[in-house]
Amino acid sequence: MSKFKNKKKGDLPAISTASLPDIVFMLLFFFMVATVMRDNTLMVKNELPNADQVEKLSKDRTTFIYAGKPSEGFKSKYGELPRIQINDAFVGIESVQLAVTEARNALREELQDKFVVALKVDKETNAGLVSDIKQELRKINALKLMYVTTVRNPNE
C-alpha cells in the first residue's frame, strides 16, 4: 500500500486571490489621479476680452462671478438679457453680497483676508452690470477684485 494517494485528475487548482488587493488599490489610485473634478457649468456666454499684461493667481482663495448673456441652451428659459452666474446658478444683483460672503466664510481663516473676487465678464456685456456688481462688492468690503482676460497675441 502506498503512502501517497494520486490526486484526482481533471480538478482545476483554486484561483489565488493574494494579488487582488494590489490590483484594487492600483485601479483606485489610477482613477483618483485620472479623474478631473468639474468646476462649474457655464451658463452664460463668456468670450473674454484681451489683455497684454496678465498675472496668474491661485484658485484656492478666489471666487468667480460670471456675467454675460445666457448661452444657447439657456436662452429659451432665461431670455436674452445679461445675467450674473455664481457657482452653478443665476443670481440677481441683490444676491451677490450673500454668495460672496458665503464663499469668503468657507475659506480657512488665514486665507479670508487674502480673498479675491474674479470677474469673468463677456466682452459684449454692458458696463452698467459690471458697475452694479462692483457696488455690491464694496458694500461687503470685498475690495480685492480681478478681471479675467485672455492673453493678447502680440502680432495683432
Side-chain angles (χ1 to χ4, degrees), residues 10-26:
D11 284 346
L12 294 174
I15 297 174
S16 173
T17 58
S19 63
L20 191 59
D22 294 335
I23 294 170
V24 169
F25 283 116
M26 197 168 27

Side-chain angles (χ1 to χ4, degrees), residues 61-63 65 100 115-119 137 142 144-147:
R61 59 188 175 100
T62 307
T63 190
I65 297 177
V100 171
F115 180 72
V116 177
V117 176
L119 289 178
L137 293 174
K144 294 180 183 173
L145 186 67
M146 72 175 173
Y147 295 95

Side-chain angles (χ1 to χ4, degrees), residues 4-97:
F4 301 105
K5 292 185 179 181
N6 290 337
K7 291 183 180 179
K8 294 181 184 178
K9 293 184 179 178
D11 284 346
L12 294 174
I15 297 174
S16 173
T17 58
S19 63
L20 191 59
D22 294 335
I23 294 170
V24 169
F25 283 116
M26 197 168 27
L27 285 172
L28 178 66
F29 183 73
F30 170 77
F31 286 115
M32 285 174 46
V33 171
T35 302
V36 177
M37 300 301 283
R38 179 179 62 95
D39 283 340
N40 289 324
T41 302
L42 197 58
M43 299 167 63
V44 295
K45 180 181 169 197
N46 200 256
E47 194 174 322
L48 300 174
N50 294 327
D52 54 3
Q53 296 179 357
V54 294
E55 178 182 343
K56 188 167 186 158
L57 294 178
S58 63
K59 291 184 179 183
D60 61 344
R61 59 188 175 100
T62 307
T63 190
F64 291 91
I65 297 177
Y66 302 91
K69 293 180 180 178
S71 58
E72 293 300 322
F74 297 96
K75 279 186 180 177
S76 61
K77 188 174 182 181
Y78 294 105
E80 297 279 333
L81 294 176
R83 310 276 287 183
I84 301 169
Q85 177 187 345
I86 299 177
N87 296 329
D88 281 337
F90 284 129
V91 297
I93 193 69
E94 65 281 349
S95 301
V96 170
Q97 288 183 27

